[in-house]
Amino acid sequence: MEPGGRRQQQRRLQGPRREAAEYYRGHRVPQRMEEALNALFPQRPADLYGELANYFSKFSKAPVICKLVGRKVFDGVGQPTLEVEIYCTVKNYEKRICSTVMSSHSQIPENALPGTTEADEKERNDSVNTAVEWVNESLNTMLRDLKPTEQCKVDKMLGEYFTKKVEEKREIQKQEEKEEATLALTSCTPSATALPGKKKAERPGKKVAVAERTIPPAEPVESVLCGSLAIGGTSLAVARAGATISRIPLYLHIALLKCNQDSPKEITVPLPMVTLLNCEKLSPAKLKLVKEVMLIPPVQLSVKQGIERVLDIQKEMMRLLEPPGKAPSPQLADSKKGKAHNTGKKAPPQASKRISHLGCLITGCDNVEQPLLLMQTACNNIGLELGTDMYLAINCAAHELMDYAKGKYEILTGTFKSPDEMVDMYVELRNKFPFIIALIDPLRKEDRQQWNNVCCALGSKCYLIAEDAATYISKLKIDQNINIPTCNGVVLKYINQTKVSDLIELAGLLDGQRHITILGSPDGESSDDSLVDLAVGLGARFIKLGGLSRGERVTKYNRLLAIEEELAKNRTLREANLEFTFAEESPPEKHLSDALPPPTRDSLPPPLSQPGPQVRSLPAQLPGNSTLT
């Protein structure tokens, strides 16, 4: 090239060179390059360019959400549920960060009629399909360019979106009611006018109407807002993405959110409530009262030691439930897959051959004491003493036992007890078996006076825990003085429109009221182990995961073991108390607003939203920035 051409080219490049120099100087690239080279030279790293990449990565922009992907998957019992994937823009590239799978939850009892179960399955399927649509369309657009570490901001937007959907549903319902009313007026015929009279004639014939004068009627079950899974699934996925981006475990991310970013010096691992027996409610079994018998290891044991002890008891229990005169069979391993054969007509021979969806043994019993004596025998046979080396908890699931025609609980086939008689029975049972330290749902939530009575009688001896008997958050939002049962512990479940911020706020409120928090696993579990991180991060006292069988449940126990090991290695594992502490002798009514009358049905909006986390009692005023829905 001729000298004149070179000079001309150099003049053309002077402008871009000046711009490039200003651009790089504006971003302090020369200064940081010099700092990097000076810092790395003494180290002489084996992978120089890798170390340079690490050095400069701290100056890159924070990752932001660029895409949400929702898809329909199946949980551990074959029910459809929602998976949410989070993609972020990281260093100018789209990158998949994480995914979460929501656990399915149903309020249909085990002994529900086939028609009810089919309707519930259809409703669940429609809800999952709607949730997938919400995630892939509305939420995908709404959360784009937000940082996954901005959990409160994300949850607020999700709450506003959900509220909007609730309002839309209400408007649709109002319009449908107007159309039905108009149609009824225009098609008014003699046969149609006879309908109200027909209804009136049928009312005296109902036994339920007579019985409900003596017992509080059941509160209506809140319907699920179709698609609500999208809210909870997205909130949890964002929390996991925030932890991944911050390069910390999810439990620590949750703990930081709870403590307003103040790093906790020590973290407690919750005690596992391990389900060992699921008492069958079908013939020939007579016992209906006990849904689950759970083992709670003593507090001085590590989680690993406790689970190993539970497994020893489980092996002995399986041996005891073998048919008489038959040695334990190596085919027990196949029982989890349903391959075992029925060798007799008695209920016990089948028990060791079947595993419930809760991951525990299924057995049939004839009275309340039988499963407790069975547990006592299993422990004694391996040299353990209940009340010292292991404790028991019972999930009574009393809400499934009420016969409204009689106004009594059917605890055994053909045996009924009134709510007051139930209290006396629990007192007698606890006195006879003092190793029982927790009763879950001993009564319906409507039997508030009996909840008060049982707490007065047993509150200083064991935990009285509300799971299905707790009050819905959606109702607490409307009337915080709503009449609710007395209890000293609450099982929270991460379901439907529950958000991570909701759980954090509720856990703080329960801590302030000196109530124990229990994170519970829904019936339809998935292989996602986020629940364990939530329990650890929130500082839950117990975690209820089901039994030590079925992969979706064992996965969570393995995660609990891994967290305990990690905390011990980092020397941040807090030592547990040396004993269980229960409520004081003072009557629990003093701490409640039970004297207040319950709100009338007219004061409540139409039941649209599925209950989120559940809680016994809240202060007179929720925080101003509350995001509960």
mmCIF file of all heavy atoms in Angstrom, residues 426 437-442 451 454-466 486-490 516 582:
data_model
loop_
_atom_site.group_PDB
_atom_site.id
_atom_site.type_symbol
_atom_site.label_atom_id
_atom_site.label_comp_id
_atom_site.label_asym_id
_atom_site.label_seq_id
_atom_site.Cartn_x
_atom_site.Cartn_y
_atom_site.Cartn_z
ATOM 1 N N TYR A 426 -58.835 -38.560 74.935
ATOM 2 C CA TYR A 426 -57.432 -38.166 74.719
ATOM 3 C C TYR A 426 -56.684 -38.051 76.045
ATOM 4 O O TYR A 426 -55.517 -38.426 76.147
ATOM 5 C CB TYR A 426 -57.367 -36.846 73.953
ATOM 6 C CG TYR A 426 -57.755 -36.949 72.499
ATOM 7 C CD1 TYR A 426 -58.717 -36.111 71.945
ATOM 8 C CD2 TYR A 426 -57.157 -37.892 71.666
ATOM 9 C CE1 TYR A 426 -59.083 -36.203 70.611
ATOM 10 C CE2 TYR A 426 -57.523 -37.997 70.329
ATOM 11 C CZ TYR A 426 -58.490 -37.147 69.816
ATOM 12 O OH TYR A 426 -58.837 -37.252 68.499
ATOM 13 N N ILE A 437 -46.178 -37.414 72.606
ATOM 14 C CA ILE A 437 -45.842 -36.007 72.867
ATOM 15 C C ILE A 437 -46.491 -35.055 71.866
ATOM 16 O O ILE A 437 -46.269 -33.847 71.942
ATOM 17 C CB ILE A 437 -44.318 -35.783 72.888
ATOM 18 C CG1 ILE A 437 -43.709 -36.054 71.509
ATOM 19 C CG2 ILE A 437 -43.657 -36.624 73.960
ATOM 20 C CD1 ILE A 437 -42.298 -35.544 71.368
ATOM 21 N N ALA A 438 -47.302 -35.571 70.935
ATOM 22 C CA ALA A 438 -47.971 -34.678 69.975
ATOM 23 C C ALA A 438 -49.242 -35.326 69.455
ATOM 24 O O ALA A 438 -49.250 -36.510 69.115
ATOM 25 C CB ALA A 438 -47.042 -34.331 68.816
ATOM 26 N N LEU A 439 -50.309 -34.546 69.417
ATOM 27 C CA LEU A 439 -51.568 -34.943 68.796
ATOM 28 C C LEU A 439 -51.873 -33.931 67.702
ATOM 29 O O LEU A 439 -51.943 -32.732 67.962
ATOM 30 C CB LEU A 439 -52.706 -34.960 69.815
ATOM 31 C CG LEU A 439 -52.625 -36.006 70.936
ATOM 32 C CD1 LEU A 439 -53.748 -35.777 71.941
ATOM 33 C CD2 LEU A 439 -52.691 -37.414 70.382
ATOM 34 N N ILE A 440 -52.038 -34.426 66.487
ATOM 35 C CA ILE A 440 -52.333 -33.554 65.348
ATOM 36 C C ILE A 440 -53.807 -33.701 64.990
ATOM 37 O O ILE A 440 -54.307 -34.823 64.836
ATOM 38 C CB ILE A 440 -51.446 -33.912 64.141
ATOM 39 C CG1 ILE A 440 -49.974 -33.738 64.490
ATOM 40 C CG2 ILE A 440 -51.798 -33.047 62.934
ATOM 41 C CD1 ILE A 440 -49.027 -34.156 63.377
ATOM 42 N N ASP A 441 -54.485 -32.588 64.871
ATOM 43 C CA ASP A 441 -55.909 -32.551 64.533
ATOM 44 C C ASP A 441 -56.737 -33.513 65.394
ATOM 45 O O ASP A 441 -57.445 -34.390 64.872
ATOM 46 C CB ASP A 441 -56.116 -32.877 63.045
ATOM 47 C CG ASP A 441 -55.740 -31.732 62.144
ATOM 48 O OD1 ASP A 441 -55.584 -30.606 62.650
ATOM 49 O OD2 ASP A 441 -55.589 -31.953 60.921
ATOM 50 N N PRO A 442 -56.677 -33.366 66.726
ATOM 51 C CA PRO A 442 -57.492 -34.249 67.567
ATOM 52 C C PRO A 442 -58.987 -33.972 67.459
ATOM 53 O O PRO A 442 -59.808 -34.814 67.828
ATOM 54 C CB PRO A 442 -56.975 -33.949 68.979
ATOM 55 C CG PRO A 442 -56.443 -32.556 68.901
ATOM 56 C CD PRO A 442 -55.894 -32.405 67.520
ATOM 57 N N TRP A 451 -61.386 -27.770 71.855
ATOM 58 C CA TRP A 451 -59.957 -27.475 71.675
ATOM 59 C C TRP A 451 -59.422 -26.777 72.933
ATOM 60 O O TRP A 451 -58.332 -27.096 73.421
ATOM 61 C CB TRP A 451 -59.738 -26.577 70.453
ATOM 62 C CG TRP A 451 -59.526 -27.302 69.161
ATOM 63 C CD1 TRP A 451 -60.468 -27.594 68.218
ATOM 64 C CD2 TRP A 451 -58.291 -27.819 68.655
ATOM 65 N NE1 TRP A 451 -59.892 -28.257 67.162
ATOM 66 C CE2 TRP A 451 -58.552 -28.406 67.397
ATOM 67 C CE3 TRP A 451 -56.979 -27.834 69.126
ATOM 68 C CZ2 TRP A 451 -57.576 -29.008 66.621
ATOM 69 C CZ3 TRP A 451 -55.991 -28.434 68.352
ATOM 70 C CH2 TRP A 451 -56.283 -29.020 67.124
ATOM 71 N N VAL A 454 -59.138 -29.477 75.711
ATOM 72 C CA VAL A 454 -58.042 -30.435 75.572
ATOM 73 C C VAL A 454 -56.696 -29.744 75.777
ATOM 74 O O VAL A 454 -55.744 -30.344 76.289
ATOM 75 C CB VAL A 454 -58.112 -31.164 74.207
ATOM 76 C CG1 VAL A 454 -57.613 -30.292 73.064
ATOM 77 C CG2 VAL A 454 -57.320 -32.469 74.245
ATOM 78 N N CYS A 455 -56.601 -28.468 75.405
ATOM 79 C CA CYS A 455 -55.353 -27.732 75.643
ATOM 80 C C CYS A 455 -55.149 -27.478 77.132
ATOM 81 O O CYS A 455 -54.024 -27.538 77.624
ATOM 82 C CB CYS A 455 -55.364 -26.411 74.873
ATOM 83 S SG CYS A 455 -54.934 -26.591 73.142
ATOM 84 N N CYS A 456 -56.245 -27.209 77.842
ATOM 85 C CA CYS A 456 -56.129 -27.018 79.291
ATOM 86 C C CYS A 456 -55.685 -28.311 79.968
ATOM 87 O O CYS A 456 -54.897 -28.302 80.913
ATOM 88 C CB CYS A 456 -57.459 -26.559 79.872
ATOM 89 S SG CYS A 456 -57.852 -24.840 79.521
ATOM 90 N N ALA A 457 -56.220 -29.425 79.474
ATOM 91 C CA ALA A 457 -55.930 -30.712 80.110
ATOM 92 C C ALA A 457 -54.569 -31.281 79.722
ATOM 93 O O ALA A 457 -53.885 -31.882 80.565
ATOM 94 C CB ALA A 457 -57.033 -31.714 79.745
ATOM 95 N N LEU A 458 -54.154 -31.092 78.467
ATOM 96 C CA LEU A 458 -52.946 -31.761 77.983
ATOM 97 C C LEU A 458 -51.866 -30.815 77.475
ATOM 98 O O LEU A 458 -50.787 -31.270 77.097
ATOM 99 C CB LEU A 458 -53.313 -32.730 76.842
ATOM 100 C CG LEU A 458 -54.212 -33.914 77.208
ATOM 101 C CD1 LEU A 458 -54.525 -34.745 75.962
ATOM 102 C CD2 LEU A 458 -53.550 -34.790 78.265
ATOM 103 N N GLY A 459 -52.150 -29.515 77.452
ATOM 104 C CA GLY A 459 -51.190 -28.576 76.865
ATOM 105 C C GLY A 459 -49.840 -28.564 77.529
ATOM 106 O O GLY A 459 -48.830 -28.229 76.895
ATOM 107 N N SER A 460 -49.767 -28.942 78.809
ATOM 108 C CA SER A 460 -48.481 -28.961 79.512
ATOM 109 C C SER A 460 -47.791 -30.308 79.411
ATOM 110 O O SER A 460 -46.691 -30.492 79.933
ATOM 111 C CB SER A 460 -48.698 -28.616 80.991
ATOM 112 O OG SER A 460 -49.547 -29.560 81.602
ATOM 113 N N LYS A 461 -48.427 -31.271 78.723
ATOM 114 C CA LYS A 461 -47.872 -32.627 78.621
ATOM 115 C C LYS A 461 -47.479 -33.007 77.202
ATOM 116 O O LYS A 461 -46.619 -33.859 76.991
ATOM 117 C CB LYS A 461 -48.892 -33.645 79.142
ATOM 118 C CG LYS A 461 -49.282 -33.448 80.590
ATOM 119 C CD LYS A 461 -50.339 -34.464 80.996
ATOM 120 C CE LYS A 461 -50.772 -34.242 82.450
ATOM 121 N NZ LYS A 461 -51.840 -35.203 82.844
ATOM 122 N N CYS A 462 -48.133 -32.411 76.212
ATOM 123 C CA CYS A 462 -47.808 -32.741 74.817
ATOM 124 C C CYS A 462 -48.217 -31.584 73.913
ATOM 125 O O CYS A 462 -48.930 -30.666 74.344
ATOM 126 C CB CYS A 462 -48.493 -34.039 74.379
ATOM 127 S SG CYS A 462 -50.283 -33.940 74.228
ATOM 128 N N TYR A 463 -47.769 -31.639 72.672
ATOM 129 C CA TYR A 463 -48.117 -30.612 71.685
ATOM 130 C C TYR A 463 -49.501 -30.908 71.114
ATOM 131 O O TYR A 463 -49.794 -32.042 70.723
ATOM 132 C CB TYR A 463 -47.102 -30.585 70.548
ATOM 133 C CG TYR A 463 -45.692 -30.250 70.970
ATOM 134 C CD1 TYR A 463 -44.672 -31.200 70.893
ATOM 135 C CD2 TYR A 463 -45.361 -28.987 71.432
ATOM 136 C CE1 TYR A 463 -43.370 -30.901 71.263
ATOM 137 C CE2 TYR A 463 -44.063 -28.670 71.811
ATOM 138 C CZ TYR A 463 -43.077 -29.633 71.730
ATOM 139 O OH TYR A 463 -41.792 -29.332 72.104
ATOM 140 N N LEU A 464 -50.353 -29.902 71.066
ATOM 141 C CA LEU A 464 -51.651 -29.991 70.384
ATOM 142 C C LEU A 464 -51.522 -29.189 69.099
ATOM 143 O O LEU A 464 -51.433 -27.957 69.127
ATOM 144 C CB LEU A 464 -52.773 -29.436 71.252
ATOM 145 C CG LEU A 464 -53.303 -30.291 72.418
ATOM 146 C CD1 LEU A 464 -53.688 -31.666 71.946
ATOM 147 C CD2 LEU A 464 -52.312 -30.382 73.553
ATOM 148 N N ILE A 465 -51.495 -29.891 67.982
ATOM 149 C CA ILE A 465 -51.098 -29.289 66.707
ATOM 150 C C ILE A 465 -52.275 -29.248 65.737
ATOM 151 O O ILE A 465 -53.023 -30.220 65.606
ATOM 152 C CB ILE A 465 -49.932 -30.079 66.090
ATOM 153 C CG1 ILE A 465 -48.710 -30.020 67.030
ATOM 154 C CG2 ILE A 465 -49.554 -29.539 64.717
ATOM 155 C CD1 ILE A 465 -47.619 -30.990 66.675
ATOM 156 N N ALA A 466 -52.421 -28.128 65.070
ATOM 157 C CA ALA A 466 -53.471 -27.960 64.057
ATOM 158 C C ALA A 466 -52.862 -28.082 62.665
ATOM 159 O O ALA A 466 -51.902 -27.398 62.346
ATOM 160 C CB ALA A 466 -54.151 -26.612 64.225
ATOM 161 N N THR A 486 -57.914 -23.193 69.748
ATOM 162 C CA THR A 486 -56.687 -23.077 70.517
ATOM 163 C C THR A 486 -55.742 -24.204 70.141
ATOM 164 O O THR A 486 -56.167 -25.342 70.006
ATOM 165 C CB THR A 486 -57.008 -23.194 72.021
ATOM 166 O OG1 THR A 486 -58.063 -22.311 72.334
ATOM 167 C CG2 THR A 486 -55.784 -22.884 72.855
ATOM 168 N N CYS A 487 -54.460 -23.913 70.000
ATOM 169 C CA CYS A 487 -53.456 -24.952 69.765
ATOM 170 C C CYS A 487 -52.097 -24.348 70.067
ATOM 171 O O CYS A 487 -51.966 -23.141 70.213
ATOM 172 C CB CYS A 487 -53.511 -25.482 68.336
ATOM 173 S SG CYS A 487 -53.171 -24.242 67.083
ATOM 174 N N ASN A 488 -51.088 -25.199 70.192
ATOM 175 C CA ASN A 488 -49.743 -24.664 70.447
ATOM 176 C C ASN A 488 -48.754 -25.013 69.357
ATOM 177 O O ASN A 488 -47.549 -24.938 69.557
ATOM 178 C CB ASN A 488 -49.216 -25.122 71.820
ATOM 179 C CG ASN A 488 -49.284 -26.625 71.999
ATOM 180 O OD1 ASN A 488 -49.345 -27.380 71.031
ATOM 181 N ND2 ASN A 488 -49.283 -27.068 73.239
ATOM 182 N N GLY A 489 -49.259 -25.397 68.200
ATOM 183 C CA GLY A 489 -48.392 -25.664 67.062
ATOM 184 C C GLY A 489 -49.200 -25.703 65.779
ATOM 185 O O GLY A 489 -50.390 -26.021 65.799
ATOM 186 N N VAL A 490 -48.585 -25.351 64.670
ATOM 187 C CA VAL A 490 -49.273 -25.289 63.377
ATOM 188 C C VAL A 490 -48.429 -25.960 62.304
ATOM 189 O O VAL A 490 -47.213 -25.762 62.243
ATOM 190 C CB VAL A 490 -49.544 -23.820 62.970
ATOM 191 C CG1 VAL A 490 -50.211 -23.745 61.607
ATOM 192 C CG2 VAL A 490 -50.405 -23.129 64.008
ATOM 193 N N ILE A 516 -44.898 -23.509 68.071
ATOM 194 C CA ILE A 516 -43.962 -24.268 67.242
ATOM 195 C C ILE A 516 -44.458 -24.264 65.799
ATOM 196 O O ILE A 516 -45.657 -24.323 65.528
ATOM 197 C CB ILE A 516 -43.785 -25.710 67.758
ATOM 198 C CG1 ILE A 516 -45.121 -26.461 67.776
ATOM 199 C CG2 ILE A 516 -43.140 -25.736 69.122
ATOM 200 C CD1 ILE A 516 -44.974 -27.939 68.019
ATOM 201 N N PHE A 582 -43.229 -27.910 76.567
ATOM 202 C CA PHE A 582 -44.629 -27.760 76.194
ATOM 203 C C PHE A 582 -45.172 -26.463 76.765
ATOM 204 O O PHE A 582 -44.451 -25.691 77.388
ATOM 205 C CB PHE A 582 -45.437 -28.966 76.700
ATOM 206 C CG PHE A 582 -44.893 -30.278 76.218
ATOM 207 C CD1 PHE A 582 -44.291 -31.163 77.098
ATOM 208 C CD2 PHE A 582 -44.954 -30.623 74.887
ATOM 209 C CE1 PHE A 582 -43.777 -32.371 76.662
ATOM 210 C CE2 PHE A 582 -44.443 -31.828 74.422
ATOM 211 C CZ PHE A 582 -43.847 -32.705 75.320
#
